[in-house]
Amino acid sequence: MQVQSHLQDHCFHCGEILPEQDVLYLSMDSERRAMCCAGCKSVAEFIVNAGLSDYYKHRKELPDKIDSASLMQSTDWQAFDRANFDSRIGPDVHEVILDIEGLHCVSCSWLVKNKLENQCEIKVISLDHQTGIAVIQWDKNKTPLSSILHSINSLGYLPHVLDQENGELQQELSDQNSENSLKRLVVAGLGMMQVMMFAVALYTGNEQNMENVYRRFLIWVSMLVSFPVLFYSGMPFLRHAWQSIRLHRMHMDIPIAIAMLSAFSLSVVNSFSGTGEVYFDSVVMFVFFLSVSRYIQEQVSRKMLNSRQALARMLPVFVEIEENGQLLKKPLTEIKLGEKIAIPIGAVIPADGVINSGRTEIDASSLSGESRPLVCKQGDAVFAGMRNLGQPISITTTAITKHSALSVLSQRLKRAKFTSEQNQLSLTRYVTAFIAFTLLLATCVFIYWNLHRDWQYGFEIALAVLVVSCPCALSIALPSGVASLTRYLHKQGLYVINPYKLFKLTQIDTVIFDKTGTLTNPEAIMHSALNDQQTGKYLDYAQALSLFTQHPKARFLHKKVNAHSVTGIKETVGSGVSGVIDGKRYYLGKDSFVTKHSVNSNNETVYSLYFGDGEKILLQWQQQEILRPGTRNLLDSLKASGMTIIVASGDRTAAVKDLTQKLVIDDFYAEQSSRQKLELLRSLQSSGKTVMCIGDGINDAEFLQQADLSISFTGASELAQAQADILMAGTDFSGIKDLLNSARHLKTIYQQNLAWAISYNALMLPLAVLGYIQPWIAALGMSLSSLFVVLNSLRLSKRQNKTLPDQLIEASVI
């Protein structure tokens, strides 16, 4: 279904409600299209003039409102031409990797790709609208990088250039290209179904003396279908095996490739000679089941770049540098030590530094987790990722971008991610060892029968050993169960990012919770003594005024409302913001700011926001912390299981202590920085504890990554989501109980699959070695063994969802 956005009262580009005045229009398709602002009009004109107006016909999501300040001039991007952001991969070919912020759907990708490829010899190698990652190749001598970046920006998207100094970045990106992997998997699946259908006819025909002409026809068709399966779907295995041989390294794909090529080659020879058996069915089944396993692994590694993407998007692409009394735009990547940077109201601080002028409030929740703003003055240190909430300030940088606290955090996350992935590799080591053993055994069998009979008979027996051993049953015993359970959990609103961590759930003995946003959700409850009509009017005024401040207390008011013209904006640091609406000045902030009569509560655990006209309070909100639904029930369940529960929060000691007392939690740590949380976790792990961490903030990212298993929420910070092993949709904690039960069921299914595969091989391998199993029987046995594993694993996705009784779901005010 396409998005329609040409209503008279909505912006044609972004769908925003049109302002009462200053509506702009664009001529398109012999009609005038209304635009809400100059930013949307500029982007729409660029799209139409580029001949890409089909974007508006096929898009399925509306973009965000275009901020004119985010649309840079072409000269601003020229600074990227001076730096070495790209890599040279040919005589006249350069490559750059971009993180394009703002992509929403396939139509967005189509728009960017067509615009770039219409430029001089620009080739978009890959562009994933889900991650925003684009790999672009072009002739740098003909088209500068700045032209590419400017074209993307003119479409309404913000390109971030990813650093390519690390050689493994390209490998990470290639691992993310799941589209090709899915195509290979589909081809293998379709080929397997076709070849198995022919194989059944061949096996049946052998028993019923099928005429040779029909038998030959089925063999030739099987060979034709098997060819693309092996050399397209199986190409990653063949390529990796060849690369490993060239590097003199043992890799799981080496014996796999040898087995597939041997079976296929002998089958081709026998097809031409008209004698012997063919094993095309074994080849395609082997490729398919291995492709399933590899696809699941790639989906796990798909999240590898998310931490760096989340960090990159936190910071601006350009900053304003103070030089000789003037403000000059400069790319963030060119910031040097000791430079003076102007930080306007609402802007994110782009680098570590010291305030050299101005006094303001700073939102430090991204790093410390503290929900209350900090008052900072001249001489105070600030760090990249913090947000300026008060007055404009100027800072002097004390660290370049790659040495900032935020970048150091990124590097720690990257090392932890690598360690996690290395641990995951141990899950497949037994498969590699088994395949190597099977290959060695097959070689010995071939030598033995070659000496005692003939090479062709020995070759067939060796292949029977390779086929009957069914390494695919072993290789899919784990991923098939994980995939089945993942589908089940997805239906319950639990999104498994790192499936192989599910096994850790059965070993958890300690759980660490963050406080704000995890155990509790802040909720603003409005109070008004006015009638409903007046309350609605002033609520609209307050919402319109709130758009001119980034203060955390006013963020809940940031939503689309009927537009009101606000003029004369004044923001007073530490107090609030005021503006003129319908000819009268209104105030939003502290009680003493909006009225002459102070009514502020002395209770520090309740944060209040007021709206008034300077004489009296018209509306007020009490900021109360609400327990996440299902919290008490989950805690009772964890305690009953004998788990240790800990609360680690960046909030003040009084607030954390008050919460833990009401939840009957003895262990708590307050005013914890990101590093202190990480040290707490490591100390528990070093004492032999298996720890699950649950958090939602940017400052939780490190300990979420280090945890044995971590859970975050779909509404959490982007960085927290990038590091979590499991994401939970909605606000209800009750799903975690089902998650723990599901993990135990997964372990049982996996043990059953493994026991079956081992028992089957222990029985069938000796028979194949002695020559008692014909190759076609071996292929059939392998198929049935694999089918048993798959069907057994599917039981995980057929489980009934046991919802909790309504009386156990609570949402109480603390």
Side-chain angles (χ1 to χ4, degrees):
M1 180 181 294
Q2 285 78 35
V3 172
Q4 300 296 327
S5 58
H6 55 271
L7 301 178
Q8 293 298 320
D9 57 344
H10 289 74
C11 175
F12 177 74
H13 182 74
C14 72
E16 284 274 352
I17 298 175
L18 294 174
E20 295 179 358
Q21 300 176 346
D22 301 326
V23 177
L24 303 175
Y25 292 93
L26 170 70
S27 296
M28 177 181 170
D29 298 333
S30 302
E31 295 182 16
R32 291 206 313 165
R33 307 295 191 183
M35 302 288 169
C36 64
C37 63
C40 286
K41 183 175 184 293
S42 175
V43 170
E45 284 180 338
F46 188 82
I47 292 174
V48 172
N49 293 336
L52 301 172
S53 56
D54 282 349
Y55 162 74
Y56 292 108
K57 298 178 182 178
H58 303 293
R59 62 182 180 174
K60 295 185 178 181
E61 290 186 41
L62 289 170
D64 297 327
K65 180 181 176 69
I66 303 298
D67 182 4
S68 298
S70 67
L71 299 177
M72 309 296 179
Q73 300 295 323
S74 58
T75 53
D76 295 331
W77 295 101
Q78 290 177 1
F80 287 87
D81 296 331
R82 299 191 295 268
N84 186 26
F85 290 105
D86 53 86
S87 60
R88 185 174 180 179
I89 61 174
D92 297 314
V93 181
H94 286 71
E95 184 175 88
V96 68
I97 302 171
L98 304 178
D99 172 19
I100 304 177
E101 185 176 351
L103 294 182
H104 291 84
C105 59
V106 176
S107 296
C108 295
S109 300
W110 175 88
L111 184 64
V112 173
K113 185 174 181 179
N114 277 270
K115 174 56 185 174
L116 294 181
E117 290 185 342
N118 286 339
Q119 289 185 249
C120 182
E121 297 185 20
I122 293 178
K123 185 177 181 181
V124 180
I125 302 301
S126 64
L127 176 55
D128 189 339
H129 71 275
Q130 294 178 327
T131 63
I133 295 294
V135 181
I136 297 171
Q137 294 179 357
W138 83 108
D139 188 342
K140 194 173 182 178
N141 297 322
K142 297 180 180 179
T143 306
L145 177 59
S146 59
S147 178
I148 298 175
L149 300 177
H150 177 60
S151 295
I152 295 173
N153 185 231
S154 298
L155 293 172
Y157 308 106
L158 186 61
H160 299 268
V161 182
L162 296 182
D163 183 16
Q164 297 193 81
E165 291 181 359
N166 192 335
E168 68 185 43
L169 180 58
Q170 182 59 46
Q171 181 60 40
E172 292 177 354
L173 287 170
S174 65
D175 289 341
Q176 285 194 344
N177 195 355
S178 62
E179 184 177 351
N180 287 337
S181 297
L182 184 58
K183 290 178 182 178
R184 295 180 193 276
L185 181 58
V186 170
V187 170
L190 294 175
M192 181 192 70
M193 289 188 292
Q194 293 295 322
V195 174
M196 285 303 298
M197 185 169 59
F198 300 144
V200 171
L202 282 172
Y203 298 148
T204 306
N206 288 338
E207 297 296 327
Q208 298 180 359
N209 299 319
M210 176 190 292
E211 291 186 25
N212 190 55
V213 62
Y214 298 118
R215 183 177 183 277
R216 297 275 294 173
F217 172 75
L218 291 175
I219 290 175
W220 281 101
V221 174
S222 297
M223 182 174 66
L224 291 176
V225 176
S226 301
F227 190 86
V229 173
L230 177 60
F231 293 103
Y232 176 69
S233 299
M235 184 52 67
F237 308 104
L238 301 179
R239 183 172 58 247
H240 293 160
W242 174 242
Q243 291 174 348
S244 299
I245 292 173
R246 290 180 59 191
L247 295 174
H248 306 290
R249 294 177 181 175
M250 182 60 186
H251 192 275
M252 177 180 176
D253 289 340
I254 294 178
I256 289 176
I258 293 175
M260 291 191 301
L261 289 175
S262 298
F264 184 79
S265 299
L266 181 62
S267 299
V268 171
V269 170
N270 288 345
S271 297
F272 279 97
S273 66
T275 60
E277 299 291 339
V278 294
Y279 312 104
F280 296 120
D281 52 345
S282 302
V283 172
V284 294
M285 287 194 68
F286 200 21
V287 173
F288 173 73
F289 286 117
L290 288 174
S291 296
V292 171
S293 175
R294 192 62 54 91
Y295 180 74
I296 294 174
Q297 294 173 10
E298 288 182 359
Q299 292 309 299
V300 175
S301 63
R302 184 177 175 82
K303 298 294 178 178
M304 287 185 66
L305 279 180
N306 278 14
S307 61
R308 270 180 284 178
Q309 282 183 259
L311 289 169
R313 293 185 180 188
M314 284 180 58
L315 301 179
V317 178
F318 291 91
V319 296
E320 291 187 327
I321 303 296
E322 297 179 4
E323 288 186 5
N324 302 322
Q326 295 182 336
L327 294 179
L328 303 176
K329 279 189 177 180
K330 191 174 185 179
L332 177 63
T333 52
E334 291 191 357
I335 296 298
K336 298 178 182 177
L337 201 64
E339 287 194 295
K340 292 184 178 181
I341 305 177
I343 313 294
I345 298 174
V348 174
I349 296 174
D352 296 355
V354 175
I355 298 177
N356 52 51
S357 65
R359 179 184 176 89
T360 187
E361 283 187 316
I362 296 292
D363 178 8
S365 60
S366 62
L367 296 179
S368 68
E370 172 59 57
S371 56
R372 302 182 68 178
L374 305 176
V375 178
C376 297
K377 59 185 183 303
Q378 183 176 355
D380 289 345
V382 291
F383 301 94
M386 294 181 173
R387 185 181 293 274
N388 180 23
L389 301 177
Q391 306 253 345
I393 59 173
S394 172
I395 69 169
T396 300
T397 59
T398 56
I400 59 177
T401 305
K402 66 179 181 180
H403 293 156
S404 67
L406 205 61
S407 294
V408 172
L409 171 63
S410 175
Q411 292 301 316
R412 288 199 295 265
L413 291 174
K414 181 181 174 184
R415 287 195 296 270
K417 189 73 174 179
F418 177 76
T419 302
S420 174
E421 288 173 349
Q422 290 297 104
N423 292 335
Q424 290 175 15
L425 293 178
S426 61
L427 296 172
T428 58
R429 286 175 183 168
Y430 70 92
V431 179
T432 304
F434 175 77
I435 295 178
F437 165 76
T438 304
L439 185 59
L440 178 62
L441 179 62
T443 303
C444 294
V445 167
F446 170 73
I447 295 174
Y448 174 83
W449 287 108
N450 182 45
L451 295 175
H452 291 78
R453 191 160 176 176
D454 59 68
W455 74 269
Q456 186 171 359
Y457 183 78
F459 197 64
E460 291 184 357
I461 295 298
L463 280 179
V465 170
L466 288 174
V467 173
V468 80
S469 63
C470 195
C472 53
L474 282 172
S475 65
I476 66 174
L478 173 62
S480 62
V482 168
S484 184
L485 180 58
T486 299
R487 287 194 297 271
Y488 167 76
L489 294 175
H490 179 83
K491 297 176 184 177
Q492 315 309 319
L494 294 166
Y495 304 99
V496 182
I497 306 302
N498 192 339
Y500 296 101
K501 286 288 193 74
L502 288 171
F503 286 90
K504 286 289 185 180
L505 278 168
T506 60
Q507 306 169 18
I508 298 297
D509 53 33
T510 304
V511 183
I512 301 179
F513 289 91
D514 180 40
K515 174 182 168 287
T516 305
T518 302
L519 287 173
T520 66
N521 283 322
E523 182 173 303
I525 301 175
M526 186 178 71
H527 299 276
S528 172
L530 306 171
N531 60 48
D532 292 343
Q533 185 175 1
Q534 287 179 309
T535 297
K537 178 180 112 174
Y538 289 126
L539 178 60
D540 285 349
Y541 286 178
Q543 289 174 328
L545 196 56
S546 73
L547 298 178
F548 294 92
T549 178
Q550 292 295 324
H551 200 284
K553 292 182 185 179
R555 286 178 187 169
F556 71 94
L557 288 171
H558 291 186
K559 58 181 70 175
K560 295 182 180 180
V561 297
N562 293 325
H564 289 279
S565 177
V566 183
T567 59
I569 298 298
K570 294 180 181 178
E571 186 162 15
T572 304
V573 61
S575 296
V577 63
S578 67
V580 178
I581 305 176
D582 291 343
K584 186 173 181 179
R585 181 168 290 276
Y586 292 93
Y587 301 81
L588 181 69
K590 290 183 176 180
D591 62 321
S592 58
F593 180 67
V594 304
T595 180
K596 297 178 180 178
H597 309 287
S598 177
V599 295
N600 191 27
S601 171
N602 291 324
N603 186 354
E604 292 185 358
T605 63
V606 179
Y607 309 117
S608 298
L609 180 68
Y610 300 86
F611 175 79
D613 58 8
E615 295 294 329
K616 61 182 178 297
I617 293 175
L618 300 172
L619 302 174
Q620 64 179 5
W621 294 265
Q622 284 187 321
Q623 190 85 3
Q624 295 180 321
E625 287 191 308
I626 308 298
L627 271 182
R628 185 179 290 272
T631 298
R632 295 185 186 276
N633 185 260
L634 173 62
L635 294 177
D636 291 343
S637 176
L638 296 177
K639 292 175 184 177
S641 300
M643 297 186 187
T644 301
I645 300 175
I646 300 173
V647 175
S649 172
D651 283 358
R652 295 166 296 108
T653 302
V656 178
K657 183 177 181 180
D658 181 62
L659 173 67
T660 54
Q661 286 179 342
K662 292 176 179 178
L663 294 178
V664 195
I665 299 175
D666 297 329
D667 295 334
F668 71 89
Y669 298 84
E671 302 181 18
Q672 295 287 292
S673 65
S674 174
R675 180 174 290 278
Q676 288 173 320
K677 285 186 177 184
L678 184 60
E679 290 174 352
L680 168 64
L681 172 60
R682 285 175 173 169
S683 67
L684 291 170
Q685 290 175 327
S686 63
S687 64
K689 300 290 185 181
T690 303
V691 187
M692 177 170 69
C693 293
I694 306 177
D696 73 312
I698 295 174
N699 65 309
D700 297 326
E702 278 190 284
F703 92 129
L704 288 174
Q705 179 59 261
Q706 178 67 29
D708 296 289
L709 184 132
S710 56
I711 299 176
S712 191
F713 312 95
T714 54
S717 68
E718 189 175 355
L719 189 56
Q721 292 185 53
Q723 302 312 315
D725 299 313
I726 298 172
L727 292 178
M728 190 174 73
T731 60
D732 198 334
F733 256 147
S734 58
I736 295 183
K737 286 185 62 178
D738 191 35
L739 176 65
L740 295 171
N741 292 330
S742 298
R744 287 189 283 269
H745 198 193
L746 171 64
K747 185 176 181 179
T748 299
I749 293 294
Y750 171 60
Q751 290 173 341
Q752 291 173 353
N753 288 344
L754 200 59
W756 165 261
I758 293 175
S759 300
Y760 166 84
N761 283 286
L763 174 65
M764 300 296 285
L765 268 177
L767 296 177
V769 169
L770 296 175
Y772 291 121
I773 297 180
Q774 297 294 323
W776 70 271
I777 297 178
L780 184 61
M782 182 198 72
S783 303
L784 293 176
S785 177
S786 301
L787 185 61
F788 172 84
V789 170
V790 173
L791 293 178
N792 191 44
S793 298
L794 284 177
R795 294 196 297 132
L796 287 166
S797 62
K798 302 298 182 182
R799 300 174 61 221
Q800 296 296 319
N801 181 24
K802 299 178 180 179
T803 55
L804 293 175
D806 293 338
Q807 62 266 28
L808 295 181
I809 307 298
E810 82 294 330
S812 55
V813 177
I814 298 176

